Amino acid sequence: MKRELFEQDHEDFRASVRAFITKHITPNLERWDADGLIDRDAWKAAGEAGLLGIAVPGEFGGGDNPDFRFRIVQMEEFARVGANSFNAGTSVQDDLVIPYLVDLGTQAQKQRWLPALCEGTAVGALALTEPGAGSDLQGIRTTAIRDGDDWVLQGSKIFITNGIAADVVIVLAKTEPAAGARGMSLFVVPSDSPGFRRGRKLEKLGLRSNDTAELFFDDLRLSSESVLGEVGRGFVHVMERLPRERMSIAATAVAAAMAAFDWTRGFCFDRHAFGQAIGDFQATRFTLAEIATDLDAGISFLDRATLLLNQGELSAVDAAKAKYWLSDLHNKIVDRCLQLHGGYGYMLEYPIARAYADARILPIFGGTNEIMKEIIGRDIAARATSS
């Protein structure tokens, strides 16, 4: 099926992304996985290549282009070589941290952090999840209490992507604990602040070279200039930006599924058994046909949602549908692709094995897929009640 999402500018950009990957990413993938950490030089190289902060206004060092299709090109190219960990880190930077600063930051906050994030000389993280509060953000316990003109941050976060490397962390905390969702605020926290402490670099099933950490805030004092957005509207600010995060996950899912299918198709016609390519057996061909059809449907779904996002018309419900269905589809496709590799699919030297482990987190983070179904179901119920 011909894909009409991309224009010539996107394909020209794809060529530059491939050149960057060939030089800076593929030679280092195995070492990064072994180390459990991506070199800071790779972040700086990505910044120099114009791959970070594409949507950031030019006055702050960005590409001044909010077209999400350029981000999808990056995801597809990273997935093509199995660089899912690097994709995860840069997605947090570009699709989570940077939009918060662009949309909500003061001029001083933008001037301090956006140029460095675009250059790759700074790495950002978003700290929402806590040991007792994952998809239910209203259950967080981290607090920020006023002390004169300052705020004192106390608490901890867990499962924070880029947590070890981060130079700046956007933190959600309760500023009026009795007020529920109306009593939360966001803060911009430099990682060199006294009272900021990193815990363990967590050992994960997949995305092995992307660092994920526990973070602790021990009586960390922040000035009033550290508030991001409006005091008391932190929960609302997060909810408003979740569609972008969920679209990032959906796009990652499709990119990774496309890569898995490409590897598998090649394997099936290179690998021989019983005197012929395994792709020539009817059972294999039927499986490949099913995967190809599922993938076409997923690509069409993503492309439609991407155009809606670019037009500012993608609803939270639409984003939940894309995140849930496409991340589930991704896991289904990768599982079937691994099966077609036989015993080789279980070997980590084959990219499909690493992709299988990397895929499992997508239905979990950004709000579990069960939460996505609840969002969709509530919308269905509300429409039924109002009609």
Side-chain angles (χ1 to χ4, degrees), residues 30-53:
E30 290 188 11
R31 180 172 57 82
W32 289 346
D33 266 6
D35 294 344
L37 196 65
I38 294 166
D39 294 340
R40 289 301 291 257
D41 286 347
W43 284 92
K44 294 176 184 176
E48 291 171 359
L51 304 189
L52 300 175

Side-chain angles (χ1 to χ4, degrees), residues 38-83:
I38 294 166
D39 294 340
R40 289 301 291 257
D41 286 347
W43 284 92
K44 294 176 184 176
E48 291 171 359
L51 304 189
L52 300 175
I54 294 173
V56 173
E59 64 180 299
F60 300 112
D64 207 14
N65 191 338
D67 183 352
F68 191 67
R69 290 176 292 181
F70 287 100
R71 288 285 301 121
I72 292 178
V73 168
Q74 284 183 276
M75 294 176 193
E76 290 180 355
E77 292 305 310
F78 290 143
R80 185 177 59 85
V81 299

Side-chain angles (χ1 to χ4, degrees), residues 75-84 252-266 295 299 330 333-334 337 341 351-352 355:
M75 294 176 193
E76 290 180 355
E77 292 305 310
F78 290 143
R80 185 177 59 85
V81 299
N84 299 317
T252 293
V254 171
M258 290 169 60
F261 181 63
D262 284 344
W263 302 329
T264 304
R265 180 174 51 195
L295 192 53
I299 291 170
H330 170 213
I333 288 174
V334 172
C337 288
H341 279 74
I352 192 65

Side-chain angles (χ1 to χ4, degrees), residues 299-320:
I299 291 170
S300 295
F301 189 174
L302 175 70
D303 290 357
R304 175 180 174 275
T306 298
L307 295 177
L308 289 173
L309 179 68
N310 276 353
Q311 296 161 8
E313 298 175 0
L314 185 76
S315 71
V317 174
D318 290 335

Side-chain angles (χ1 to χ4, degrees), residues 59-129:
E59 64 180 299
F60 300 112
D64 207 14
N65 191 338
D67 183 352
F68 191 67
R69 290 176 292 181
F70 287 100
R71 288 285 301 121
I72 292 178
V73 168
Q74 284 183 276
M75 294 176 193
E76 290 180 355
E77 292 305 310
F78 290 143
R80 185 177 59 85
V81 299
N84 299 317
S85 290
F86 193 73
N87 178 63
T90 54
S91 291
V92 166
Q93 185 111 326
D94 258 47
D95 300 326
L96 280 70
V97 175
I98 283 176
Y100 276 86
L101 288 165
V102 169
D103 296 345
L104 303 171
T106 64
Q107 192 71 7
Q109 289 169 340
K110 293 177 181 179
Q111 288 175 341
R112 179 174 182 184
W113 292 113
L114 287 177
L117 290 169
C118 293
E119 293 166 358
T121 54
V123 174
L126 178 65
L128 306 179
T129 303

